[in-house]
Amino acid sequence: MTDDPSNENTDERWMRSAIAEARLAAAEGEVPVGAVIVHEGRIIACAHNERESSQDPTRHAEMIAIQEAAKKLGSWRLIDTTLYVTLEPCPMCAGALVNARVPRVVWGCDDPKAGATRTLYEIGTDARLNHRFECVPGVLDEACSALLTEFFGAIRAKSKPRDSR
């Protein structure tokens, strides 16, 4: 696959928009997670993490995008939408996606510490819940992983004590 956008599939196209949001988060000192919600072939909501700037633990990219999309559509039911997010949703976000009736969720990289759609839990496909969504993992996984690796690597480098020799 080349970098020519005309050759990429639709999921990659929208994930690139989520990656752009994640870069905005990183520039603001937030964990670089970005999300977009697509409805009828266009983005109706885009967001990135805002936990640090707002000091609100619920300001995950997915939560903000869900709220924005609901306002845009005038309904809490986000039927006929797809959420694209750079990191596998956590339990809070996966639960909100169930409650919002989002039918399809696409993510970049898995989250081994909080992933709730495949890694630790499978909330989106749990038959005990009243709604389930299609899960599409690994879209532009390497690019999404690299954002997080670079971000946390920079934080670790800043916190290392300097050699005093």
Side-chain angles (χ1 to χ4, degrees):
M1 167 139 252
T2 67
D3 284 338
D4 180 0
S6 63
N7 289 337
E8 67 187 356
N9 71 36
T10 302
D11 286 344
E12 290 173 349
R13 172 186 176 199
W14 300 122
M15 187 60 74
R16 289 190 193 288
S17 295
I19 289 170
E21 282 293 322
R23 287 190 180 115
L24 292 174
E28 295 171 7
E30 300 280 353
V31 174
V33 177
V36 299
I37 295 180
V38 175
H39 179 258
E40 296 179 348
R42 61 189 173 83
I43 294 174
I44 61 165
C46 53
H48 56 271
N49 276 5
E50 295 180 359
R51 287 191 316 174
E52 296 300 326
S53 61
S54 68
Q55 289 300 297
D56 180 342
T58 68
R59 298 296 286 174
H60 287 200
E62 301 97 306
M63 299 295 286
I64 299 166
I66 288 167
Q67 292 168 350
E68 188 177 314
K71 285 180 188 170
K72 182 85 73 157
L73 294 177
S75 175
W76 61 268
R77 292 176 186 90
L78 301 183
I79 58 173
D80 300 324
T81 64
T82 299
L83 172 97
Y84 293 87
V85 62
T86 57
L87 181 65
E88 178 183 5
C90 72
M92 174 183 66
C93 294
L97 291 162
V98 167
N99 286 327
R101 308 298 194 263
V102 172
R104 187 166 184 264
V105 176
V106 179
W107 69 90
C109 57
D110 289 344
D111 186 347
K113 294 185 178 186
T117 51
R118 176 167 98 155
T119 305
L120 299 177
Y121 307 99
E122 295 179 352
I123 292 173
T125 56
D126 191 323
R128 296 169 297 178
L129 298 174
N130 64 332
H131 173 75
R132 285 164 293 288
F133 51 80
E134 176 187 357
C135 294
V136 182
V139 175
L140 299 179
D141 178 21
E142 290 180 16
C144 295
S145 293
L147 284 170
L148 292 161
T149 300
E150 290 167 18
F151 180 80
F152 288 113
I155 288 174
R156 281 190 293 278
K158 285 180 187 174
S159 67
K160 270 189 178 177
R162 294 187 181 203
D163 189 357
S164 60
R165 288 186 263 178

